[in-house]
Amino acid sequence: MELKRVVVTGLGALTPVGNTVPEFWNNLLAGVSGAGPITHFDASKFKTQFACEVKNFNAADFIDRKDVRKMDLYTQYAVVAAKEAVTDSGLDVEKEDLNKIGVILGVGIGGIHTFEEEVAGYEKTKDNIGPKFNPFFIPKMIADIASGQVSMMYGFHGPNFTTTSACASASNAIADAFNHIRLGKANVIVTGGAEAAIFPAGVGGFNAMHALSTRNDDPTHASRPFSASRDGFIMGEGAGCLILEELEHAKARGAKIYAELAGTGASADAYHLTASHPEGLGAKLVMENALEDANMSPEDIDYINVHGTSTPVGDISEVKAIKEVFGEHAYKLNISSTKSMTGHLLGATGAVEAIVSTLSVKNDIVPPTINHEEGDNDENIDYNLNFTFNKAQKRTVRAALSNTFGFGGHNACVIVKKYTE
């Protein structure tokens, strides 16, 4: 069976550094940090009191108010990003076979804010009036509901489900969407991911694991991947959506094409609940699997958007894996961690970083890894590699690879390349 080619024809993003794709992309290139004091709740007693929140967002500007009340914040983010992506793609829904359009989104945690609110409400009232829960509690909280809401919004009857693999969730969703299209099971799929976990349980839980930076006096410089002074990641939130489309279908309707999705990979560390393998074995395998799937060699890649969370162990293991896979070509790559600006969007991170990779291929420019200071070097990291520190760099980007790694040892990778006939 000959596999069909898959292209990216639409993008949507709602992030801590921009509420639309153009705003997001321009701020990344300018090196803007999305970090600041937490406003979603009173974090004054928490070890970490800052995060990368979405700003100036009012769901009612995009979604009917009665529907907003039925959605957790993560679903609201997903719906808004999906609407931007569909509009950007130019799809005329009335002319499409809706049975061949699907929605596959990723989320790591789901409706944690809704869960917190409902359980807190129960605790306050249980002794007086007995258990009382909102009838929308379950459909607001469950992890699959964002993809369901997007499909209902447009009447898309194609494949519809959610992937959950911690911080690899959105990349796994993109991989599943890619495979459905190239196997002929769909013409178009809205894919990506969403997350909104900057609430007490989310921040407190990650604090208990010592995973978050505690640089409360300087939030905008707290995410500093590959620097010796890194002390953990910053929680982010938001959503990213891509319209993946079968090439001939896209050409037939005259769609603009950002890039071609060339291949994806998956692997497991099988090592530790939360830590990556210290030698980067799972990271090495997932990149090799993606290159094989794309029928590409390491020398075909010009840019890696790394997982690069700014954790002491994770950054080192990813660098080891890159050097193992790419050999001498590793020194010709641009490498950058946009988490230095967006924070770590957990289950949505693979989506926003796939968008970054796509735009880098389209525009021949690599966004920076910010917050690296001269002399702030880790003896375990090879600084002869080009980490694109502090300033965006223009270069030809024939293909870009995006890494995402999740708790539980889940690794996922996507490769996008320039579209040619």
Side-chain angles (χ1 to χ4, degrees):
M1 177 183 177
E2 183 177 354
L3 297 176
K4 298 177 182 296
R5 293 172 67 184
V6 181
V7 293
V8 180
T9 59
L11 301 173
L14 180 61
T15 78
V17 296
N19 292 8
T20 64
V21 169
E23 185 184 14
F24 166 60
W25 180 239
N26 289 334
N27 281 333
L28 286 184
L29 296 181
V32 175
S33 170
I38 291 172
T39 64
H40 288 338
F41 69 97
D42 180 3
S44 59
K45 295 182 179 179
F46 284 68
K47 292 180 182 177
T48 297
Q49 298 164 12
F50 62 95
C52 287
E53 297 179 335
V54 171
K55 301 161 186 68
N56 304 314
F57 175 72
N58 180 8
D61 291 339
F62 308 93
I63 308 167
D64 189 279
R65 288 184 183 276
K66 68 178 185 299
D67 293 324
V68 170
R69 294 196 300 270
K70 302 172 186 177
M71 297 180 188
D72 183 85
L73 185 60
Y74 97 92
T75 301
Q76 296 172 21
Y77 288 166
V79 167
V80 171
K83 290 180 75 168
E84 183 186 9
V86 171
T87 299
D88 182 48
S89 74
L91 272 173
D92 187 341
V93 175
E94 294 183 359
K95 294 181 180 179
E96 294 291 333
D97 179 357
L98 302 186
N99 293 336
K100 299 288 282 184
I101 303 180
V103 185
I104 303 175
L105 300 177
V107 63
I109 296 174
I112 191 169
H113 181 44
T114 294
F115 186 85
E116 281 187 347
E117 285 188 322
E118 291 296 320
V119 171
Y122 164 68
E123 286 296 320
K124 289 179 182 178
T125 62
K126 65 179 181 179
D127 295 330
N128 298 322
I129 61 175
K132 184 178 181 181
F133 288 89
N134 188 315
F136 293 108
F137 171 33
I138 298 300
K140 284 178 67 175
M141 176 197 71
I142 51 180
D144 70 295
I145 204 65
S147 62
Q149 288 280 13
V150 173
S151 71
M152 288 184 280
M153 181 168 62
Y154 290 102
F156 295 154
H157 293 289
N160 185 272
F161 58 90
T162 293
T163 58
T164 298
S165 48
C167 303
S169 297
S171 294
N172 283 135
I174 293 168
D176 280 354
F178 174 59
N179 286 324
H180 273 77
I181 294 172
R182 67 175 175 171
L183 290 171
K185 298 180 182 295
N187 293 331
V188 180
I189 294 185
V190 182
T191 189
E195 200 80 89
I198 304 174
F199 294 101
V203 176
F206 281 113
N207 264 159
M209 296 167 58
H210 305 288
L212 299 181
S213 171
T214 56
R215 200 182 289 264
N216 293 311
D217 59 337
D218 191 15
T220 60
H221 296 95
S223 183
R224 44 183 59 220
F226 308 112
S227 295
S229 57
R230 63 192 184 279
D231 69 330
F233 72 83
I234 303 179
M235 283 186 70
E237 63 174 358
C241 284
L242 302 89
I243 305 300
L244 298 188
E245 191 165 351
E246 192 272 321
L247 174 58
E248 296 305 320
H249 183 275
K251 289 166 64 176
R253 69 178 187 85
K256 71 175 180 295
I257 295 175
Y258 283 99
E260 181 170 359
L261 182 52
T264 67
S267 76
D269 277 10
Y271 170 72
H272 188 272
L273 279 175
T274 58
S276 57
H277 191 284
E279 298 302 318
L281 296 187
K284 174 178 178 287
L285 180 59
V286 76
M287 288 187 280
E288 291 173 338
N289 288 343
L291 287 166
E292 180 181 7
D293 189 47
N295 194 28
M296 297 172 74
S297 69
E299 290 73 25
D300 294 324
I301 303 298
D302 290 320
Y303 169 46
I304 301 178
N305 186 288
V306 290
H307 190 56
T309 57
S310 189
T311 56
V313 175
D315 288 6
I316 294 171
S317 63
E318 189 170 10
V319 169
K320 288 181 178 179
I322 289 169
K323 292 180 68 175
E324 282 285 323
V325 173
F326 290 89
E328 286 303 310
H329 184 65
Y331 298 95
K332 299 178 182 179
L333 295 165
N334 272 76
I335 297 165
S336 75
S337 172
T338 45
K339 289 185 182 70
S340 59
M341 295 172 277
T342 66
H344 191 352
L345 275 68
L346 308 178
T349 198
V352 297
E353 290 168 10
I355 292 171
V356 172
S357 300
T358 298
L359 292 173
S360 290
V361 166
K362 179 69 173 176
N363 297 302
D364 288 323
I365 188 167
V366 175
T369 305
I370 68 167
N371 295 331
H372 185 73
E373 299 168 358
E374 187 175 352
D376 188 8
N377 295 338
D378 185 329
E379 63 181 10
N380 296 300
I381 291 177
D382 184 351
Y383 290 98
N384 291 312
L385 298 169
N386 183 0
F387 291 100
T388 322
F389 282 135
N390 298 324
K391 187 176 181 180
Q393 293 180 14
K394 294 182 178 180
R395 64 163 295 168
T396 299
V397 184
R398 298 166 298 160
L401 179 153
S402 176
N403 281 333
T404 50
F405 312 139
F407 286 173
H410 311 298
N411 306 308
C413 180
V414 301
I415 297 175
V416 291
K417 66 180 183 181
K418 285 192 184 299
Y419 165 69
T420 59
E421 288 288 343

